[in-house]
Amino acid sequence: MTHPTPDPTTTDTTTAPASATSMTAAPASATNTTAAPASATSTTATPASATSTAAAPTAAPDPAHAAGLAPAPTGAPTATPEAERLRRWRLVLGGGGADGTGCELRGRDAAMDGALASLYGREKGSGGTAPGGRRSAGLGASAPGVARWLGDIRTYFPSSVVQVMQRDAIDRLGLSALLLEPEMLEAVEADVHLVGTLLSLNKVMPETTKETARAVVRKVVERLEKKLAQRTRATLTGALDRSARISRPRHRDIDWDRTIRANLKSYLPEYRTVVPERLIGYGRAAQSVKKDVVLCIDQSGSMAASVVYASVFGAVLASMRALDTRLVVFDTSVVDLTDQLDDPVDVLFGTQLGGGTDINRALAYCQSRITRPTETVVVLISDLYEGGIRDEMLKRVAAMKASGVQFVTLLALSDEGAPAYDRDHAAALAALGAPAFACTPDLFPEVMAAAIEKRPLPIPDMAEQR
């Protein structure tokens, strides 16, 4: 099998980390191609090995050192550039009589190759030898075998690559059922995509597994909260302060930009200065609620990662006293999970990924809960594939905007890259002044701050999202 990888025959052995970067940044769907093992394999040959081989070329390779998995013993020979190139080609091509490398893998390199062969050594969904006589392996249906394989890949590959391989294993080998066993959940590397898979299995999950699944989900949620909460609170607190303007500010609270613009008529050319007759300053956020936020989340299967991130952000926003946050999830029905926002794990297990989509019905519910339109931000997180009444949906958005609601449409809230979405509906919303765009978790606080301050949203380049 062939893979679109950098040419290992070049002398620049630093191509390995570039391959790893492109792999981990790609959407999960992209990693399901046969290019994935090549990227994963290249990743395991860490830059440390490439640097050392270029710096001290000698006669014979040491597999563990060349793989960057362990330092070579003192005085041990290191791999020549030519041997390293052959080794990489061998790992990329997967062995067999036609690979033409004549390179034999030993030790940890052989174990790594075996772990990759178990997942990528056969065609997706096949149970035997791949077409063309290429090597064939598999994890089979043995739970102990899968547990050993999960342990192996965590030993040989970095965490980011392990997560990609786990997602590919679930997709290519149909391992979803095995995730219902507590032993499997304890062995996997937990990430957002695994949480999405567990949520989709929630209804068929046996009671013996649910506690383990909750522990896995909680570990991911706590990691995300630690990463996202501080910046979100700081950004939105500043936005809430700035949204409350006062006319007699203290010196440190003066908004100089707005003050200068408001006093340009008092400009004195001879002194080349502006004499401010009126000061404009930032207010201090009061203890009372300043803004209402409604997160309206599409829980169809394709929105799994967005649901996870939105639940975490919902819990963070709910912890801010200056915000009154409501969280609504929907498919063809609508569920208000606001009373569970203090624990995002409860929120996630209250969702049901999959099913149809009725955006109009969800927006009707959200609209009925708005009591202060000019102080409300509605965030619709959906791919916009509407199964309900399209024209009614657009009329509701137009009505909310006309009443003063800040309406934000996010096609995705994740790091997965360009999402699939209904372009006609996105264009119709943009025409109403509610542009739809994908948003990374890092950008979300800035989007919310802009909505609170009623200034233009920091919309990413739409060309990049296509």
Side-chain angles (χ1 to χ4, degrees):
M1 54 184 176
T2 60
H3 306 287
T5 58
D7 184 0
T9 60
T10 62
T11 57
D12 181 8
T13 57
T14 60
T15 53
S19 173
T21 302
S22 62
M23 177 182 179
T24 55
S29 60
T31 61
N32 291 338
T33 66
T34 55
S39 297
T41 306
S42 298
T43 305
T44 58
T46 57
S49 66
T51 304
S52 61
T53 56
T58 49
D62 176 72
H65 179 64
L69 299 170
T74 303
T78 56
T80 64
E82 179 63 25
E84 174 66 8
R85 286 195 294 272
L86 288 175
R87 169 187 168 277
R88 293 189 180 206
W89 270 121
R90 165 62 181 80
L91 287 169
V92 168
L93 295 173
D99 69 14
T101 64
C103 177
E104 179 184 356
L105 299 180
R106 295 174 293 167
R108 293 172 70 90
D109 276 358
M112 288 161 52
D113 187 58
L116 289 166
S118 295
L119 176 56
Y120 300 110
R122 59 180 179 174
E123 293 299 308
K124 179 177 178 180
S126 71
T129 304
R134 292 195 296 273
R135 64 181 179 178
S136 176
L139 305 179
S142 167
V146 176
R148 284 193 298 270
W149 179 80
L150 289 169
D152 287 345
I153 64 175
R154 293 175 76 173
T155 299
Y156 303 132
F157 304 102
S159 175
S160 58
V161 175
V162 169
Q163 292 171 6
V164 172
M165 293 179 71
Q166 285 178 172
R167 294 200 297 271
D168 284 355
I170 292 171
D171 180 61
R172 296 169 65 91
L173 305 180
L175 298 185
S176 295
L178 290 176
L179 291 178
L180 302 180
E181 300 182 20
E183 310 83 55
M184 292 300 100
L185 289 180
E186 292 172 357
V188 295
E189 187 79 22
D191 68 346
V192 171
H193 300 281
L194 178 64
V195 170
T197 301
L198 292 177
L199 296 180
S200 67
L201 298 172
N202 186 26
K203 294 298 183 181
V204 297
M205 191 176 291
E207 291 299 323
T208 55
T209 306
K210 284 189 175 180
E211 283 306 310
T212 306
R214 288 182 71 89
V216 171
V217 172
R218 186 170 298 281
K219 180 166 63 174
V220 175
V221 165
E222 288 176 351
R223 187 167 65 236
L224 291 177
E225 278 192 302
K226 184 177 180 181
K227 173 184 176 183
L228 302 172
Q230 183 175 354
R231 179 167 177 266
T232 301
R233 291 193 184 100
T235 301
L236 297 189
T237 298
L240 289 164
D241 286 350
R242 289 189 293 272
S243 66
R245 305 289 178 180
I246 58 176
S247 58
R248 302 186 65 173
R250 290 174 292 183
H251 184 271
R252 64 180 179 179
D253 295 332
I254 296 175
D255 183 343
W256 288 108
D257 181 59
R258 288 173 60 92
T259 295
I260 291 172
R261 281 187 284 139
N263 291 277
L264 287 177
K265 63 181 180 180
S266 302
Y267 178 69
L268 301 178
E270 62 272 26
Y271 294 104
R272 301 179 66 185
T273 188
V274 171
V275 178
E277 297 177 351
R278 182 167 63 95
L279 297 177
I280 300 175
Y282 302 123
R284 292 295 172 182
Q287 296 300 316
S288 60
V289 173
K290 305 292 291 184
K291 295 286 182 179
D292 298 334
V293 176
V294 181
L295 299 179
C296 186
I297 309 168
D298 183 346
Q299 60 175 349
S300 58
S302 60
M303 302 297 293
S306 297
V307 171
V308 176
Y309 280 114
S311 299
V312 173
F313 276 119
V316 173
L317 298 180
S319 69
M320 300 179 64
R321 287 179 293 181
L323 295 176
D324 183 9
T325 304
R326 182 176 295 275
L327 189 142
V328 176
V329 298
F330 68 93
D331 43 31
T332 52
S333 59
V334 180
V335 180
D336 193 327
L337 298 177
T338 303
D339 59 348
Q340 299 179 34
L341 272 175
D342 58 332
D343 188 346
V345 176
D346 286 342
V347 169
L348 289 171
F349 277 93
T351 63
Q352 177 58 55
L353 292 177
T357 306
D358 193 339
I359 303 174
N360 175 57
R361 186 174 183 180
L363 291 181
Y365 177 83
C366 294
Q367 189 177 23
S368 70
R369 295 298 184 270
I370 295 174
T371 57
R372 303 189 303 161
T374 58
E375 303 299 332
T376 300
V377 178
V378 175
V379 182
L380 171 64
I381 305 175
S382 172
D383 54 18
L384 300 180
Y385 287 110
E386 171 66 317
I389 306 173
R390 176 185 187 273
D391 291 341
E392 286 295 319
M393 175 190 75
L394 297 176
K395 286 179 181 178
R396 291 192 189 281
V397 175
M400 281 190 276
K401 286 193 64 65
S403 68
V405 172
Q406 294 295 106
F407 196 93
V408 180
T409 308
L410 302 181
L411 302 171
L413 179 57
S414 69
D415 285 313
E416 294 181 317
Y421 63 96
D422 189 305
R423 296 180 182 275
D424 291 338
H425 289 163
L429 288 173
L432 296 174
F437 56 96
C439 177
T440 64
D442 288 338
L443 181 62
F444 184 74
E446 298 296 336
V447 171
M448 289 301 300
I452 286 172
E453 295 183 71
K454 299 184 179 181
R455 54 182 170 83
L457 302 177
I459 301 174
D461 185 352
M462 294 302 290
E464 294 179 0
Q465 297 192 21
R466 295 189 184 98

